Amino acid sequence: MNTTAMRALIRNDLRLYLADRRAMIVGVLVPILIAGFFGYVFGGAGRSEGQGKIPVAVVDEDHSSVSRAIAADLTADPLLAVSALGRAAALDQVKSGKQNAAAVFPRGFGERTTRSLFTGTDKPQVVLLVDPSQVTAARVVEGLLAQYSMKEISKEAFTGSYGRKAIDRYLEQLEQLKPTPLRTDMRTLLLAARRLNDQSNAGVPADGKTHGFGLSIPYTVASTPVTARDNVPYNGYAHSVAGMAMQFILFAGIDAGVVLLLTRERGVWQRLRSAPLHRSEFMLARALATTLIGLFQVTVIYVAAIVLFKVRIDGSWPGFIAVVIALCLLNAGFGLMLATLGRNASTTRGLAMMATLLLVMIGGAWVPTFVFPRWLQEASRYVPTRWAVDGLDGATWRGLPFEAAVLPTVILIGSAAACLLVAIWRFRWEE
Amino acid sequence: MLDVEQLSKRFGSRTAVDAISFGIGRGETVGLLGPNGAGKTTTIAMISGISKPDGGEVRLDGVSVVRDADALKRRVGLVPQDLALYEELSAWANLQLFGGLYGLGARQLRQRAEAALALVGLADRSGERVGSFSGGMKRRLNIAGALLHDPDLLLLDEPTVGVDPQSRNAIFDNLEELKRRGKTLLYTTHYMEEAERLCDRVLILDHGRILADDTVAGFKRQYLNLEAAFMRLTGRALRDGAGA
Ligand SMILES: Nc1ncnc2c1ncn2[C@@H]1O[C@H](COP(=O)(O)OP(=O)(O)O)[C@@H](O)[C@H]1O
Ligand SMILES: [Mg+2]
């Protein structure tokens, strides 16, 4: 091995990289910007106030104590940003995307709903107008609506005037029917409910606490994001930085391949060929130089991500480094392979860009793979880019141990070796 | 010192070099003259070990390009017809690469690069980007790039193409200096007056064949001058589209 010659080649490649300031800056700045955008859109650095609230309109055509109470509950919920609107305005805003959903309480809702709590018939209808692109948000609204309605309607039944009326009416109906043991029990229950209702309307008791109770869901949910260590919130930037770092390293690999194709067409190629240099030395030097450039890019991108987006390597540092090095090796192999398969620089660049973007998208760099349909999630397991993203995700926000980085690293290095083999097989050195 | 025997190269059905033979003695300066597409560059490429001959042999003091290309390459310096320079890097960085390719250590490389730059008159421009150089300066640096490993045989492929008379003159001074230092030069051109000024011997090549091999004085004796010899031997047909 002519190591002096290889060192000279590597140094020269690094100099060429540094000489093209504009390309170098684009290679690190653009991925940071794009990662910032995607990261912000997909969750940002943990949930903060005002962020991620679901915009919902409430249309109260009933103006009853029940509908007002439900609207107040919805407004107080931290997940929702509620606006009180008329029906037409609400419909407009859902259509234009300003509101994800609108709940319409029709006239008579409070009275009818309290009555049907006892009778189970003649249920009023709450209309939920939904933005079809926001089904998940609509589900959340539906759930909260059910929760708060149940609470307020039952409260009304036992303490409010509609409740009192409903109980009286139901008792009247019972009186007219022939008594059965079940009807007698029901009558006792209703009488007790009426007493409860009377008491709560008799004024504020001495201890100052009203017992305006209602039924509520008899448990609470503490949803804990399963990431990294305890109390580390999901960082949307961690994922997008992984994806964009990968994409732009691959772009640098394409550039390396294209530069090699261009070099062939220049006098420099004659000079390289006239030196006592072997093709294995030449290829290895190129691969190492491309790897080093990739490592430099990743380092800059991740330093920026740590400073700007609070991305943390919450998993294994050795795992992170292993995946990064494997990715850079893959990229070097990829670049060399392009240079050996491609005939001319511009079409090679175009095709390689297209292929890379496709691989990167399937790999989940743009949109996380967990939102993919199942078949695509399965398919993506066959592209190395998916493993790169998974490996980086694992070492960053998922906080996985070193073992989790082993498979991605092995797959990436295997792919790198495959590219390199194709390159060695097809590389035209002799002419 | 250099022996070329029955050297041939084909590109598909076209024979670019057709079984040529010639020799060059140590310290000799030989001009390889021929119109565009004659096969000059292809011949130079085979002698420098870039291009594998389809037939024949090249030997430098008995070392075969076919059998031990590396050993031969270490003793040959190539100045390619197309500028072999990284325009985006400094002159110094270019020379560092070219010297490094021959395994020169840092100190030796520094000495050789300084000497080469001094020879071609670019010592004070070494830190500047090659892209900012004039055509003549690039041509001179192109020559300097072939000198770092101190080769015995220099192959110069149209080293003065596309430069102004002043630069050409400067390049000639450089080549004469190299000649004086005992280097052996093989030099291709289609400028007659250059060959007349510089060469001890001239080979006239056309369609991949050597049509004449004589000293400049010999050509003058037989024809009026080199130009007349060239036109007589290669004919008046235009060589458009025959390649460079
Ligand atoms: N790589 C190549 N592929 C095909 N034909 C070539 C190639 N290189 C040279 N030729 C052809 O070989 C002939 C000699 O070319 P060349 O040696 O470059 O001539 P010169 O240097 O004397 O102008 C020309 O006809 C040219 O078109
Ligand atoms: Mg030529």
Side-chain angles (χ1 to χ4, degrees):
Chain A
M1 274 282 145
N2 186 347
T3 52
T4 314
M6 286 174 59
R7 269 210 309 277
L9 282 168
I10 292 171
R11 183 180 51 198
N12 197 63
D13 276 347
L14 298 182
R15 275 186 176 149
L16 287 171
Y17 174 69
L18 294 174
D20 193 351
R21 282 291 145 79
R22 193 137 39 108
M24 187 179 94
I25 289 170
V26 166
V28 296
L29 199 63
V30 175
I32 292 168
L33 289 177
I34 300 183
F37 173 76
F38 275 108
Y40 180 73
V41 171
F42 286 106
R47 233 168 234 293
S48 59
E49 274 311 304
Q51 189 183 11
K53 286 198 175 196
I54 300 170
V56 184
V58 171
V59 181
D60 186 359
E61 295 179 340
D62 186 28
H63 302 293
S64 66
S65 52
V66 181
S67 60
R68 267 200 296 270
I70 296 174
D73 287 341
L74 291 173
T75 307
D77 192 286
L79 283 178
L80 305 179
V82 174
S83 341
L85 295 174
R87 191 190 274 253
L91 189 63
D92 263 3
Q93 292 204 6
V94 173
K95 240 188 239 169
S96 67
K98 283 205 193 84
Q99 308 288 347
N100 287 355
V104 183
F105 297 100
R107 190 187 298 274
F109 170 80
E111 186 169 3
R112 279 171 64 196
T113 191
T114 317
R115 207 187 308 143
S116 66
L117 183 68
F118 294 108
T119 60
T121 56
D122 187 29
K123 293 180 186 171
Q125 200 173 39
V126 178
V127 179
L128 195 62
L129 305 166
V130 173
D131 178 345
S133 69
Q134 302 290 346
V135 224
T136 320
R139 287 276 147 72
V140 173
V141 176
E142 232 172 84
L144 290 172
L145 193 60
Q147 181 189 330
Y148 292 131
S149 299
M150 202 58 212
K151 177 178 152 206
E152 298 303 342
I153 293 163
S154 58
K155 186 159 134 193
E156 177 67 29
F158 294 112
T159 65
S161 59
Y162 291 139
R164 177 60 194 255
K165 259 201 269 177
I167 293 168
D168 286 349
R169 229 180 102 173
Y170 199 14
L171 276 171
E172 255 167 55
Q173 284 173 2
L174 277 177
E175 307 278 312
Q176 284 158 18
L177 296 168
K178 195 153 59 79
T180 63
L182 186 67
R183 283 178 186 149
T184 314
D185 284 349
M186 194 64 202
R187 193 166 166 273
T188 318
L189 184 70
L190 286 170
L191 285 169
R194 188 161 68 174
R195 251 198 321 281
L196 198 66
N197 194 300
D198 285 345
Q199 273 168 19
S200 69
N201 286 326
V204 181
D207 63 2
K209 285 184 189 151
T210 56
H211 291 274
F213 69 88
L215 300 179
S216 65
I217 295 176
Y219 58 83
T220 59
V221 177
S223 81
T224 309
V226 184
T227 59
R229 295 185 209 97
D230 293 345
N231 304 323
V232 177
Y234 168 67
N235 186 328
Y237 294 114
H239 176 81
S240 62
V241 166
M244 286 305 120
M246 178 184 73
Q247 177 175 328
F248 280 81
I249 291 169
L250 289 175
F251 282 174
I254 295 177
D255 280 342
V258 168
V259 164
L260 185 49
L261 280 174
L262 286 174
T263 309
R264 278 180 176 284
E265 294 158 16
R266 307 205 315 189
V268 175
W269 188 246
Q270 309 297 313
R271 186 155 273 157
L272 293 175
R273 292 279 296 104
S274 73
L277 183 71
H278 288 255
R279 79 183 206 140
S280 57
E281 292 163 349
F282 177 75
M283 293 179 81
L284 196 57
R286 293 259 357 160
L288 287 174
T290 311
T291 305
L292 288 176
I293 290 169
L295 286 173
F296 169 77
Q297 260 182 306
V298 184
T299 308
V300 174
I301 291 171
Y302 266 93
V303 166
I306 287 168
V307 173
L308 297 177
F309 307 138
K310 306 196 164 43
V311 169
R312 295 284 173 269
I313 314 297
D314 283 313
S316 150
W317 264 100
F320 177 74
I321 291 167
V323 172
V324 165
I325 291 176
L327 173 61
C328 291
L329 285 173
L330 167 62
N331 185 48
F334 179 59
L336 268 181
M337 186 175 79
L338 286 178
T340 60
L341 296 181
R343 286 265 148 198
N344 87 25
S346 60
T347 53
T348 302
R349 166 175 271 139
L351 287 174
M353 283 282 183
M354 240 166 59
T356 302
L357 282 177
L358 200 68
L359 286 177
V360 159
M361 277 192 289
I362 295 175
W366 290 64
V367 175
T369 44
F370 55 72
V371 308
F372 287 2
R374 186 138 295 282
W375 69 268
L376 195 54
Q377 287 193 31
E378 274 307 308
S380 72
R381 301 174 71 81
Y382 295 92
V383 296
T385 44
R386 159 80 188 269
W387 291 94
V389 173
D390 278 4
L392 292 174
D393 272 354
T396 53
W397 63 269
R398 281 193 201 279
L400 300 181
F402 180 74
E403 294 79 70
V406 171
L407 188 58
T409 302
V410 167
I411 288 175
L412 289 172
I413 289 180
S415 312
C419 287
L420 210 57
L421 279 179
V422 172
I424 289 170
W425 169 46
R426 295 295 303 264
F427 191 67
R428 291 168 296 131
W429 180 249
E430 306 288 343
E431 268 146 44
Chain B
M1 182 170 86
L2 180 76
D3 290 297
V4 173
E5 279 169 26
Q6 299 290 312
L7 197 61
S8 296
K9 183 78 183 180
R10 283 182 297 277
F11 295 108
S13 61
R14 163 178 276 158
T15 303
V17 174
D18 193 359
I20 60 171
S21 301
F22 62 90
I24 301 179
R26 188 173 304 277
E28 214 179 358
T29 296
V30 174
L32 190 57
L33 260 65
N36 286 337
K40 305 184 294 291
T41 297
T42 307
T43 303
I44 294 277
M46 285 189 285
I47 296 174
S48 61
I50 290 179
S51 180
K52 263 196 162 52
D54 290 319
E57 177 67 289
V58 175
R59 276 195 211 89
L60 186 65
D61 288 333
V63 176
S64 153
V65 76
V66 178
R67 261 186 253 119
D68 192 356
D70 277 2
L72 183 132
K73 282 174 171 181
R74 284 181 195 287
R75 297 187 50 198
V76 174
L78 172 68
V79 178
Q81 179 175 354
D82 299 323
L83 286 170
L85 300 168
Y86 286 102
E87 304 243 336
E88 49 276 70
L89 300 181
S90 70
W92 188 259
N94 271 279
L95 297 187
Q96 268 195 309
L97 169 66
F98 304 142
L101 290 177
Y102 290 86
L104 296 187
R107 203 155 51 126
Q108 201 177 23
L109 184 59
R110 174 180 301 275
Q111 286 168 359
R112 296 267 176 89
E114 276 167 2
L117 284 171
L119 177 85
V120 298
L122 291 173
D124 53 342
R125 313 295 291 265
S126 68
E128 291 173 34
R129 241 169 38 89
V130 173
S132 69
F133 283 8
S134 71
M137 289 162 76
K138 287 179 192 171
R139 282 283 156 199
R140 271 141 63 203
L141 186 62
N142 200 34
I143 294 172
L147 303 176
L148 299 162
H149 58 294
D150 196 22
D152 301 319
L153 172 66
L154 266 175
L155 305 171
L156 301 124
D157 197 359
E158 308 205 20
T160 58
V161 77
V163 302
D164 59 32
Q166 284 77 7
S167 294
R168 180 181 301 187
N169 222 41
I171 290 171
F172 265 72
D173 291 343
N174 298 161
L175 296 185
E176 271 164 353
E177 173 61 26
L178 288 168
K179 195 173 159 182
R180 227 166 12 149
R181 292 182 190 177
K183 303 286 181 205
T184 307
L185 271 57
L186 177 62
Y187 175 98
T188 82
T189 185
H190 47 249
Y191 299 117
M192 303 307 138
E193 68 283 8
E194 286 189 4
E196 272 185 44
R197 171 172 163 187
L198 200 69
C199 298
D200 306 315
R201 233 174 82 214
V202 169
L203 308 173
I204 293 181
L205 187 74
D206 198 12
H207 302 299
R209 293 218 179 98
I210 292 181
L211 306 177
D213 175 353
D214 204 344
T215 59
V216 173
F219 276 111
K220 281 188 175 164
R221 231 177 291 126
Q222 201 174 342
Y223 305 88
L224 188 60
N225 53 29
L226 203 52
E227 172 104 33
F230 187 84
M231 292 310 283
R232 178 79 64 82
L233 289 164
T234 60
R236 294 196 166 267
L238 283 174
R239 305 305 165 95
D240 296 346

